[in-house]
Amino acid sequence: AAFQGCKALKCIVIPDSVQKIGVGSFNGCGSLTEVSIPDGIEELNEYLFKDCRSLREIEVPESVKQIDSFAFENCVFLKRIEIPSSVTSIEESFRRCSGLTSVTIPNSVTSIGENAFDGCDNLVYNEYDNAYYLGNAENPYLWLIKLKSTGITSCAINENCKFIYTNAFHGCSGLTSVAIPNSVTTIGSKAFSGCSGLTSVTISNSVTTIGDDAFSGCSVLTSVAIPNSVTSIGDFTFSYCTGL
């Protein structure tokens, strides 16, 4: 936490010789508006820019592979962020970034932590049928993040969707059936949990991972065909599916 709480710090250029930036290094630097991160940094650590409330933009270098939890939490003036194709994992990184309007997620990202965009009330999603997606110019529908409303009764998943995010359909009691297209590889944790009206689900043979509690509480679901492509089924995936 090299500069933690340096409230008057406005601008910093980190030299190219730096290979690692410690946890919370700029936590609470409320006046920081500009920061230059050198190539060679592979991880944006926990709490790195937490509460940097004046930070409006940042360029994440191509060397970064992971963005950790709370790295940008409460960066309320951060308006846009383009995540480079080197990144494979985003954790709960952008919580309460209330000014964030645009996020570009590359095809390389295979993991996004639960509540990663919690409180990002102005984030503009890509819409398809009854769901909101995040992605990039090449594929705007990479990640199905959430439904337009838990009151919907149907949702056609975009054929370019690859990941169904944690809690995406959670509590959607009016949904009776869902067909997961051949593009999808991952059904996230709690993705369909609490869908108490779900009677039919078709899982395509592109799916390799079904997360924890993915269908928990789908009490009227009577059968599920799990394709040979699936290599991982999480804990409690079908718990309280009393109709199975």
Side-chain angles (χ1 to χ4, degrees):
F3 298 94
Q4 181 174 348
C6 292
K7 296 180 179 180
L9 183 65
K10 292 184 177 180
C11 176
I12 188 166
V13 176
I14 302 170
D16 292 340
S17 56
V18 174
Q19 298 296 307
K20 183 178 180 180
I21 305 172
V23 171
S25 287
F26 300 97
N27 185 357
C29 294
S31 299
L32 187 66
T33 58
E34 295 180 48
V35 59
S36 176
I37 302 173
D39 287 332
I41 297 295
E42 295 188 355
E43 185 174 359
L44 300 185
N45 283 309
E46 292 180 332
Y47 307 103
L48 185 59
F49 297 105
K50 184 179 183 294
D51 293 328
C52 290
R53 302 177 69 87
S54 298
L55 189 65
R56 293 181 180 270
E57 61 179 52
I58 189 168
E59 184 174 344
V60 180
E62 289 286 347
S63 55
V64 171
K65 297 178 181 178
Q66 180 169 321
I67 303 176
D68 290 345
S69 293
F70 321 117
F72 292 94
E73 183 173 15
N74 282 334
C75 290
V76 295
F77 278 104
L78 186 66
K79 293 188 178 297
R80 60 176 298 275
I81 189 159
E82 184 168 344
I83 297 167
S85 58
S86 55
V87 173
T88 59
S89 176
I90 301 169
E91 297 185 11
E92 295 185 44
S93 309
F94 300 98
R95 293 177 58 188
R96 302 187 184 95
C97 290
S98 56
L100 192 64
T101 60
S102 173
V103 175
T104 300
I105 299 178
N107 297 333
S108 58
V109 172
T110 58
S111 174
I112 299 178
E114 186 174 358
N115 303 317
F117 303 104
D118 183 42
C120 297
D121 298 333
N122 290 302
L123 185 58
V124 177
Y125 294 95
N126 304 308
E127 299 184 23
Y128 181 83
D129 197 47
N130 283 321
Y132 294 119
Y133 297 77
L134 288 176
N136 51 70
E138 179 184 337
N139 183 6
Y141 306 107
L142 183 65
W143 283 82
L144 192 162
I145 299 295
K146 62 180 181 178
L147 299 179
K148 291 182 179 180
S149 166
T150 56
I152 66 164
T153 57
S154 66
C155 182
I157 298 172
N158 189 278
E159 61 183 9
N160 293 310
C161 175
K162 193 171 182 180
F163 304 96
I164 299 175
Y165 185 53
T166 300
N167 288 318
F169 290 81
H170 173 70
C172 185
S173 59
L175 188 69
T176 58
S177 66
V178 64
I180 297 170
N182 286 325
S183 56
V184 173
T185 63
T186 302
I187 300 172
S189 300
K190 305 175 188 174
F192 295 93
S193 65
C195 291
S196 56
L198 190 64
T199 60
S200 172
V201 59
T202 303
I203 302 175
S204 68
N205 58 13
S206 60
V207 173
T208 60
T209 302
I210 304 175
D212 297 346
D213 292 287
F215 294 93
S216 65
C218 295
S219 55
V220 297
L221 189 63
T222 58
S223 66
V224 178
I226 299 173
N228 291 332
S229 57
V230 173
T231 58
S232 175
I233 298 176
D235 294 336
F236 310 108
T237 300
F238 297 99
S239 62
Y240 300 102
C241 291
T242 52
L244 279 179

